[in-house]
């Protein structure tokens, strides 16, 4: 008997019964959907604490710049998974707010490197530290090894979807 209560089980698009593996992947999809929805909302809240005029997608850019330092816009676009025009618009907004700056790439005079300004770094770190403190509170009942295992599995998932 499956979750819905009848003994037929779910059917796939082809009409064939789902296997146990399919059920596991449906459960994974459901949980990831909830997680991603909450993460988007959380990122929106966090980035607005950096600056109220920022879009939620800017948080990922700030994370990447904090972790990796100076980056070309094309590298950021590839990492985040957006086009050049979208990246250019997002970086322009961050630059107008004084959170990032551009400088010529010494390896290629035609290209620019983007980096956090001191103001951007300070604001980002304050918000990131608050976010991490929230994780600590929310996962206080978890064992450290469980948190480490979740981080390991999420890293593995992210590496797998990078292509």
């Amino acid at each position: 008997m499956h979750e819905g209560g009848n003994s037929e089980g779910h059917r796939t698009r082809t009409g064939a019964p789902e296997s146990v593996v399919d059920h596991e992947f449906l459960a994974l999809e459901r949980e990831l959907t909830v997680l991603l929805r909450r993460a988007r909302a959380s990122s929106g809240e966090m980035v607005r604490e950096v600056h109220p005029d920022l879009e939620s997608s800017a948080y990922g850019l700030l994370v990447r710049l904090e972790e990796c330092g100076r980056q070309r816009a094309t590298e950021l676009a590839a990492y985040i998974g957006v086009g050049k025009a979208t990246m250019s618009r997002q970086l322009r907004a961050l630059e107008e707010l004084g959170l990032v700056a551009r400088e010529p790439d010494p390896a290629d005079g035609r290209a620019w490197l983007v980096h956090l300004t001191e103001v951007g770094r300070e604001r980002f770190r304050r918000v990131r530290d608050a976010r991490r403190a929230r994780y600590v509170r929310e996962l206080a009942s978890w064992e450290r090894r469980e948190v480490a295992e979740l981080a390991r599995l999420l890293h593995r998932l992210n590496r797998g979807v990078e292509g």
Side-chain angles (χ1 to χ4, degrees), residues 78-95:
Y79 178 78
I80 301 292
V82 298
K84 290 178 190 177
T86 299
M87 181 56 56
S88 179
R89 181 181 54 76
Q90 290 177 346
L91 289 174
R92 190 170 32 257
L94 290 167
E95 192 172 17

Side-chain angles (χ1 to χ4, degrees), residues 33-81:
T33 299
V34 171
L35 177 67
L36 293 172
R37 184 176 39 237
R38 289 178 179 164
R40 272 192 297 276
S42 176
S43 286
E45 292 168 16
M46 301 303 261
V47 81
R48 281 186 289 283
E49 288 182 37
V50 173
H51 194 283
D53 294 337
L54 289 176
E55 297 176 22
S56 61
S57 58
Y59 192 80
L61 287 173
L62 298 174
V63 169
R64 184 67 174 179
L65 288 169
E66 169 67 10
E67 289 179 350
C68 298
R70 290 167 166 72
Q71 300 264 299
R72 287 185 179 185
T74 53
E75 294 170 324
L76 288 166
Y79 178 78
I80 301 292

Side-chain angles (χ1 to χ4, degrees), residues 136 138-151:
V136 169
E138 290 173 352
L139 300 176
S141 66
W142 289 40
E143 305 255 343
R144 279 236 192 247
R145 64 178 171 71
E146 291 174 314
V147 175
E149 179 66 2
L150 176 60

Side-chain angles (χ1 to χ4, degrees), residues 1-2 8 10 17-18 21 29-30 39 43 47-49 55 78 80 83 85 88 102 127 135 139 143 147 161:
M1 199 181 239
H2 82 298
E8 274 187 44
H10 292 282
E18 294 176 348
V21 172
E29 177 187 25
R30 180 177 53 248
S43 286
V47 81
R48 281 186 289 283
E49 288 182 37
E55 297 176 22
I80 301 292
S88 179
R102 294 183 305 151
V127 171
Y135 291 155
L139 300 176
E143 305 255 343
V147 175
V161 296

Side-chain angles (χ1 to χ4, degrees), residues 72 102-114:
R72 287 185 179 185
R102 294 183 305 151
E103 63 185 43
D105 183 345
D108 181 352
R110 300 167 297 168
W112 294 87
L113 295 175
V114 180

